[in-house]
């Protein structure tokens, strides 16, 4: 009985004439629930097409803070309002041909989620 090593899936073996690109999808939103929902849908659709997916990588949250006086004039007690906006960011990396990316990114996007797609050639 001879030993046959396991065969690894080759990312480049999608098709002979199609070029496989490294694609980075950056998702940005103020609402975490909508952001996670879009990430799950993107990853699920990419895995359904049997593409190599890594992510979503959670980047640190940006806290934009503004502290301002409550009183419109300088009179009265010194009371302050503190406002904060949190911006959440996720990264998803794909190894796929550009045709596959068009079909993946043609999903319905939740309101308030911005998507940036960057394609790098190998």
């Amino acid at each position: 009985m001879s030993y046959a090593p396991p065969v690894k899936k080759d990312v480049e073996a999608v098709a002979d004439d199609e070029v496989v690109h490294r694609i980075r999808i950056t998702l940005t939103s103020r609402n975490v629930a909508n952001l996670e929902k879009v990430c799950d849908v993107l990853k699920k659709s990419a895995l359904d097409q049997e593409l190599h997916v890594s992510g979503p990588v959670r980047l640190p949250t940006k806290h934009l803070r503004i502290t301002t006086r409550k009183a419109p004039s300088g009179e009265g007690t010194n009371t302050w309002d503190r406002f904060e906006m949190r911006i959440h960011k996720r990264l998803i990396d794909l190894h796929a041909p550009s045709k596959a990316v068009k079909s993946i990114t043609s999903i319905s996007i939740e309101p308030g989620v911005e998507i940036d797609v960057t394609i790098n050639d190998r």
Side-chain angles (χ1 to χ4, degrees):
M1 192 176 244
S2 63
Y3 172 74
V7 178
K8 293 184 179 180
K9 276 187 170 179
D10 190 10
V11 176
E12 300 291 332
V14 175
D16 295 334
D17 58 344
E18 293 181 354
V19 177
V20 175
H21 300 286
R22 290 184 299 168
I23 296 140
R24 174 162 285 178
I25 302 172
T26 306
L27 301 137
T28 308
S29 178
R30 291 183 291 162
N31 189 345
V32 181
N34 289 349
L35 184 65
E36 289 295 329
K37 186 185 282 187
V38 172
C39 285
D40 291 340
V41 170
L42 280 174
K43 186 166 183 174
K44 185 176 180 182
S45 63
L47 290 176
D48 288 344
Q49 294 184 13
E50 298 179 359
L51 300 175
H52 180 265
V53 182
S54 60
V57 177
R58 289 157 179 83
L59 296 178
T61 304
K62 289 185 181 178
H63 300 272
L64 304 178
R65 294 185 178 105
I66 296 176
T67 305
T68 183
R69 288 280 305 266
K70 283 187 179 180
S73 63
E75 301 295 322
T77 57
N78 294 337
T79 54
W80 298 85
D81 272 332
R82 291 179 291 277
F83 299 102
E84 180 179 274
M85 181 170 56
R86 296 180 181 192
I87 299 175
H88 306 276
K89 202 171 194 181
R90 305 286 187 264
L91 290 178
I92 298 175
D93 288 330
L94 301 171
H95 295 279
S98 57
K99 290 181 184 177
V101 175
K102 287 181 185 177
S103 65
I104 290 171
T105 57
S106 65
I107 62 166
S108 63
I109 300 168
E110 294 291 321
V113 178
E114 296 178 15
I115 296 182
D116 182 38
V117 179
T118 306
I119 298 176
N120 294 329
D121 291 327
R122 287 195 167 179

